[in-house]
């Protein structure tokens, strides 16, 4: 079994699903989204990044399943009180050694810790089938409904992401649909109307929609990794976010602005 690399463990997170959560960020992603604010998550192998003290720090560490379970268990009291748990994020956790991810989820479930998976959906269907019995839901980052746009901004077509979203819904898995919004690119009413129509036409059941306005907090990380940041996106206007929220609510969805 290939032990995946983890680039961050975030405790007391309130942005990665309901309640207080511990988030394990797995290193490695099949996409290269132009707006990515965690560029250190993209490569599957460890790499150096300049730390706060100006020294080079190796990003990416391997943990045994036992170590991660122990880390999660230390905050179980907060999970229980807040309705939280553990979130596997990335990078793209569903493209990691799946027997490792499956065993980790299985062991957490066994001791009563809820697991959510944050995914872009670009991963083998068989991996989703393996994880479905052990997780309480998916934070599903649908980048674009239009495959050409998906490819232009992330480097991959989106058919697999749509297929896996359908699979989770048909299997009864809870879906928190996360939509990143970029000003003048996908923050318009027709684009959101298309998403709503597609969800309705395909009977996709959504627990909540999270509207995520673009932010540029990760820009300096590119320099720290010795890469060039080419991002020049802007966040949608507040009124625009409210309009899209109303549109989704009118279609029967529970909507939150922010993660
Ligand atoms: S899917 Fe997420 S981690 Fe991967 S490149 Fe896109 S934004 Fe970054």
């Amino acid at each position: 079994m290939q032990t995946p690399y983890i680039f961050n463990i975030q405790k007391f997170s309130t942005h990665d699903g309901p309640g207080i959560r511990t988030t394990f960020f797995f290193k490695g992603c099949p996409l290269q989204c132009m707006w990515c604010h965690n560029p250190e998550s993209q490569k599957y192998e460890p790499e150096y990044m300049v730390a706060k003290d100006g020294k080079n720090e190796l990003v990416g560490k391997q943990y045994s399943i036992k170590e991660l379970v122990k880390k999660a268990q230390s905050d179980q009291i907060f999970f229980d009180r807040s309705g939280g748990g553990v979130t596997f994020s990335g990078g793209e956790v569903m493209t990691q050694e799946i027997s490792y991810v499956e065993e980790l989820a299985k062991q957490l479930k066994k001791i009563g810790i809820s697991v959510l998976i944050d995914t872009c959906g670009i991963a083998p269907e068989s991996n989703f089938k393996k994880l479905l019995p052990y997780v309480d839901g998916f934070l599903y980052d649908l980048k674009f409904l239009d495959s050409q746009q998906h490819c232009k901004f992330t480097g991959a077509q989106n058919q697999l992401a749509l297929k896996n979203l359908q699979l989770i819904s048909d299997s009864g898995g809870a879906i928190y649909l996360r939509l990143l919004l970029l000003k003048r690119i996908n923050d318009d009413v027709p684009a959101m109307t298309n998403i709503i129509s597609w969800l309705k036409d395909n009977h996709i059941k959504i627990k909540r929609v999270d509207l995520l306005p673009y932010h540029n907090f990760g820009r300096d990380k590119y320099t720290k990794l010795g890469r060039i940041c080419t991002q020049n996106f802007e966040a949608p206007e507040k009124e625009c976010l409210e309009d899209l929220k109303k549109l989704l609510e009118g279609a029967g969805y529970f909507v939150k602005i922010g993660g």
Side-chain angles (χ1 to χ4, degrees):
M1 190 195 294
Q2 168 71 37
T3 305
Y5 288 95
I6 287 180
F7 72 91
N8 188 17
I9 295 177
Q10 172 90 54
K11 284 165 152 283
F12 300 106
S13 169
T14 52
H15 300 287
D16 297 310
I20 294 171
R21 314 193 70 83
T22 293
T23 305
F24 300 143
F25 290 89
F26 288 76
K27 189 161 163 44
C29 185
L31 300 186
Q32 297 237 308
C33 302
M34 286 187 187
W35 54 80
C36 186
H37 62 270
N38 282 328
E40 76 277 34
S41 75
Q42 292 176 343
K43 289 186 181 167
Y44 284 84
E45 61 276 5
E47 62 193 310
Y48 284 99
M49 186 168 165
V50 179
K52 276 187 190 143
D53 61 6
K55 290 184 184 150
N56 270 336
E57 183 185 65
L58 193 63
V59 179
K61 190 177 166 195
Q62 289 173 309
Y63 294 86
S64 68
I65 289 173
K66 203 172 155 190
E67 284 175 303
L68 291 185
V69 170
K70 205 172 156 197
K71 280 189 187 291
Q73 221 168 2
S74 65
D75 290 329
Q76 195 163 3
I77 189 166
F78 302 108
F79 304 156
D80 293 346
R81 285 186 186 163
S82 66
V86 166
T87 301
F88 299 171
S89 186
E92 178 48 64
V93 63
M94 297 303 286
T95 57
Q96 301 287 341
E97 170 68 52
I98 207 64
S99 53
Y100 177 101
V101 182
E102 185 184 4
E103 186 57 30
L104 180 58
K106 200 188 280 186
Q107 290 201 21
L108 289 169
K109 187 180 170 75
K110 201 168 149 194
I111 57 170
I113 294 180
S114 157
V115 176
L116 289 182
I117 289 198
D118 184 6
T119 181
C120 68
I122 304 291
E125 193 183 351
S126 56
N127 290 359
F128 283 91
K129 285 184 179 160
K130 280 185 184 143
L131 264 294
L132 268 161
Y134 308 111
V135 301
D136 289 307
F138 292 82
L139 307 176
Y140 209 96
D141 301 294
L142 182 62
K143 312 290 183 189
F144 285 97
L145 192 58
D146 178 81
S147 199
Q148 293 316 314
Q149 256 191 322
H150 196 283
C151 193
K152 178 180 166 191
F153 287 102
T154 73
Q157 304 274 347
N158 73 353
Q159 287 87 351
L160 194 53
L162 299 182
K163 203 172 161 196
N164 285 325
L165 184 59
Q166 183 82 63
L167 168 78
I168 295 168
S169 177
D170 292 350
S171 309
I175 297 169
Y176 298 81
L177 189 70
R178 289 155 76 90
L179 304 172
L180 177 90
L181 295 171
L182 307 158
K183 189 175 180 177
R184 288 189 291 271
I185 293 177
N186 66 347
D187 65 341
D188 55 289
V189 168
M192 192 57 73
T193 305
N194 281 343
I195 292 176
I196 294 169
S197 303
W198 185 84
L199 294 171
K200 300 276 181 197
D201 289 350
N202 291 285
H203 310 287
I204 307 283
K205 294 177 280 298
I206 301 291
K207 197 171 170 71
R208 189 178 80 195
V209 180
D210 295 340
L211 296 178
L212 309 176
Y214 166 77
H215 64 74
N216 62 6
F217 304 156
R219 282 182 67 98
D220 64 329
K221 289 186 180 178
Y222 287 82
T223 315
K224 289 174 179 168
L225 286 161
R227 297 188 216 164
I228 294 166
C229 179
T230 54
Q231 288 179 18
N232 60 354
F233 300 110
E234 287 175 61
E237 303 294 336
K238 199 168 175 287
E239 301 73 45
C240 171
L241 287 170
E242 288 299 335
D243 287 348
L244 296 178
K245 183 171 184 268
K246 277 190 204 130
L247 182 67
L248 283 154
E249 285 171 342
Y253 297 106
F254 180 56
V255 187
K256 190 178 166 204
I257 296 178

